[in-house]
Amino acid sequence: MSELDGVWAVDRLSGALPPLPGCVKRIHGGRGTTEFPRFPGMPFEVRGLELHYRPPFAMLVDKLEPQNGGYHGRATMLGREFGQFRLRRIAPMDELKTQLIKHIDEAHAMEQNVLRMLDGMISTTDDPEILDALEHHKVQTQGHADRMAERLEAHDAAPSTVKQIGGVLGALAKMPLDMVRGEKAGRNARDGYATEHLEIASYELLRRIAQKAGDESTAQAATEIIAEEAAMAKTIEEHWDRFAELSLQEEGVTV
């Protein structure tokens, strides 16, 4: 185990570095990654006190110097310095809280995506009963987003401005593209049903992480939201025959 092994918070000090909220470096032996919330990690190799990034970031090297129990870093590109930063070691409980905040933030961003998707569904739905269910769930979804924002505030954090990167968010971002095509009812039902289960899975994970972090308020919020998402999924299940009929009608097919 080297002296750099562990998880380090990254604080911007100067230069052309962007703001670095939530940025961490994870190092184990001769390898590590620089990670930002919801962005893929940037892998690097550890060579003494230098972090040499792998392609496509091979032109970047971080040069470290011990300082006050942490490290002072100089970010370089092609050998030229463009910014300075500080590394602070994160204790295990601090890292758990960091991960919890990341998952709450992702849940909030997910709900923002779902709100946009519901707007698209509502605009392409003519069936009164289905329209009523979608509008009701939009109200619920706004409530979910508000609860996640409140949980972030409870941890002295704010929602990220990045909304559609990776994982669940990437999947949700693609769904509205289908709504401009035919078979709106069937595609809406399919995408809505898939979205509900993506949300349930995300909140199941959040609930367990919150429990491990001792955040019972977030765990309870996740539990209650899961129940509402499951109810919406059940509503879609109960209308599959109707969705199939509407889809065929939209394509001019009579059965």
Side-chain angles (χ1 to χ4, degrees):
M1 180 175 178
S2 74
E3 61 184 25
L4 286 173
D5 276 14
V7 182
W8 301 84
V10 185
D11 299 322
R12 179 188 179 278
L13 296 178
S14 63
L17 288 172
L20 301 173
C23 178
V24 299
K25 294 185 186 293
R26 300 179 189 275
I27 301 175
H28 181 71
R31 298 184 178 182
T33 55
T34 297
E35 302 175 2
F36 299 86
R38 294 192 301 282
F39 280 94
M42 297 169 57
F44 56 76
E45 296 179 358
V46 180
R47 303 177 188 174
L49 291 179
E50 293 186 350
L51 311 179
H52 290 252
Y53 287 84
R54 298 178 182 175
F57 309 106
M59 75 291 291
L60 301 176
V61 176
D62 292 338
K63 300 183 178 182
L64 307 178
E65 299 175 0
Q67 185 181 80
N68 300 326
Y71 290 88
H72 178 270
R74 293 185 296 117
T76 68
M77 177 182 293
L78 300 176
R80 301 190 65 176
E81 180 180 316
F82 65 90
Q84 297 186 16
F85 59 90
R86 177 174 56 241
L87 295 186
R88 296 179 290 105
R89 188 182 293 278
I90 299 178
M93 283 305 296
D94 290 338
E95 170 63 3
L96 181 55
K97 180 178 178 180
T98 297
Q99 290 299 311
L100 173 60
I101 291 172
K102 182 183 78 170
H103 282 273
I104 298 172
D105 191 26
E106 288 179 350
H108 179 269
M110 175 178 66
E111 297 293 3
Q112 296 297 321
N113 276 270
V114 173
L115 282 170
R116 286 191 286 273
M117 194 179 84
L118 286 169
D119 282 337
M121 289 181 170
I122 289 169
S123 69
T124 59
T125 298
D126 298 321
D127 186 277
E129 185 178 358
I130 296 171
L131 185 61
D132 182 67
L134 289 173
E135 290 178 338
H136 174 69
H137 194 55
K138 181 181 176 181
V139 173
Q140 288 183 322
T141 299
Q142 183 61 64
H144 300 167
D146 292 344
R147 293 188 75 174
M148 291 300 101
E150 291 169 0
R151 295 316 304 152
L152 283 172
E153 184 178 357
H155 290 284
D156 298 320
S160 169
T161 58
V162 180
K163 299 299 182 188
Q164 295 183 345
I165 300 296
V168 173
L169 303 185
L172 292 179
K174 297 174 184 176
M175 288 182 175
L177 297 178
D178 285 335
M179 296 175 192
V180 300
R181 305 171 186 165
E183 297 185 60
K184 300 183 186 69
R187 291 181 182 273
N188 281 350
R190 179 202 65 190
D191 294 347
Y193 192 71
T195 299
E196 295 309 320
H197 287 86
L198 283 169
E199 291 184 274
I200 289 169
S202 296
Y203 281 112
E204 288 285 8
L205 185 59
L206 172 59
R207 179 169 67 86
R208 287 162 174 78
I209 291 173
Q211 288 173 336
K212 291 181 182 296
D215 183 353
E216 290 302 325
S217 294
T218 296
Q220 181 63 28
T223 298
E224 293 171 1
I225 291 172
I226 288 168
E228 293 184 348
E229 305 294 6
M232 184 58 186
K234 182 66 174 177
T235 297
I236 296 173
E237 287 180 9
E238 293 171 348
H239 289 81
W240 280 123
D241 288 339
R242 179 58 176 156
F243 289 129
E245 291 173 2
L246 290 171
S247 293
L248 292 173
Q249 289 174 15
E250 288 164 2
E251 295 300 304
V253 178
T254 303
V255 179

